[in-house]
Amino acid sequence: MVRYKKSEEKRKQILYAAFQALTESGYDSVTLQTIADHAEVSKGVVHYYFENKEAVLVELLAWLTGKISAKEQTAVQEQHTATGKLAAYIDSAFAGPAQNRSFYRVYLDFLARASRIPVYREINQRFYDSCAAISTEVLNLGQEEGIFSRELTPDKTSPVIRAIIDGCLIQWLMTDDDDDDLHATFKESCYTAIIKVLSV
């Protein structure tokens, strides 16, 4: 039991190191050795847990998107109105300038390869299925409360909600500006844009 716990901690240490390496160097420059260097372990230790670089990165994408999904779902479940749930969802997605900058640099690297690497596409689809479930919950509750248009359907509206969130965060990232106020401005604009879509 103790050995299993230690091995899981070491595995997470390697995944976090891979995330740091990707943030700093990008997908193409990362090797098992750079991951080992960030984890402060030998390359052999990384090999003990993962067959190759691809295996590390596949698990990293699943780990990252799984953590974000869980965080967003928890935030939404703590609210009891449609607007409260929507605000919590957006607040969770806009985690903070440093967090968003690191995540989206890595995430965009994965997305650039998703069309050619099926396992990345599958992991990303699970993430977007989770996003769609949150958006559907928000939409359905808002319709029950009479504040969102009853003409909207979850299958068409849910992807748009996440597209606005990701679009705002990517545009913010592309400004290459360390101004925290700009991050807050994009978050506010994101909320306003989604409310407009839902209230048509």
Side-chain angles (χ1 to χ4, degrees):
M1 182 73 175
V2 174
R3 284 184 61 192
Y4 175 77
K5 184 176 181 182
K6 284 184 179 177
S7 68
E8 284 302 300
E9 288 172 357
K10 183 65 72 177
R11 196 177 193 90
K12 287 180 182 177
Q13 178 185 344
I14 294 168
L15 290 175
Y16 184 73
F19 177 71
Q20 294 296 105
L22 282 170
T23 300
E24 292 176 16
S25 306
Y27 188 100
D28 292 329
S29 298
V30 169
T31 64
L32 282 181
Q33 187 60 60
T34 56
I35 293 169
D37 291 344
H38 277 79
E40 298 182 344
V41 298
S42 70
K43 184 178 174 181
V45 170
V46 178
H47 242 311
Y48 176 78
Y49 289 95
F50 299 96
E51 184 178 351
N52 50 38
K53 167 185 164 177
E54 196 62 37
V56 179
L57 299 185
V58 165
E59 188 160 331
L60 174 62
L61 180 59
W63 182 59
L64 284 174
T65 55
K67 281 179 63 177
I68 289 171
S69 291
K71 182 183 173 189
E72 291 175 348
Q73 289 167 359
T74 298
V76 169
Q77 293 309 313
E78 290 174 353
Q79 302 299 317
H80 304 290
T81 65
T83 54
K85 286 178 181 291
L86 178 60
Y89 183 26
I90 294 170
D91 283 345
S92 185
F94 280 76
Q99 300 96 311
N100 286 139
R101 191 173 289 109
S102 296
F103 171 73
Y104 274 88
R105 281 178 180 163
V106 172
Y107 187 54
L108 290 173
D109 257 354
F110 280 118
L111 288 185
R113 289 156 179 81
S115 63
R116 296 183 299 280
I117 303 176
V119 68
Y120 289 168
R121 193 163 57 249
E122 291 164 12
I123 294 168
N124 194 60
Q125 187 57 55
R126 288 200 298 271
F127 175 56
Y128 278 117
D129 287 346
S130 173
C131 296
I134 292 172
S135 296
T136 297
E137 180 179 347
V138 170
L139 175 62
N140 288 341
L141 183 56
Q143 288 173 330
E144 289 174 16
E145 293 171 350
I147 61 172
F148 295 157
S149 171
R150 291 191 175 276
E151 295 179 9
L152 299 173
T153 59
D155 60 323
K156 292 183 179 178
T157 308
S158 295
V160 174
I161 293 173
R162 189 67 203 197
I164 293 171
I165 292 172
D166 284 340
C168 287
L169 279 164
I170 291 168
Q171 283 204 12
W172 163 77
L173 180 66
M174 292 300 106
T175 63
D176 196 28
D177 193 327
D178 290 332
D179 182 1
D180 288 4
D181 290 338
L182 190 59
H183 185 268
T185 299
F186 270 91
K187 180 169 76 169
E188 185 177 338
S189 296
C190 178
Y191 180 81
T192 300
I194 293 172
I195 286 291
K196 285 183 179 177
V197 168
L198 297 177
S199 302
V200 170

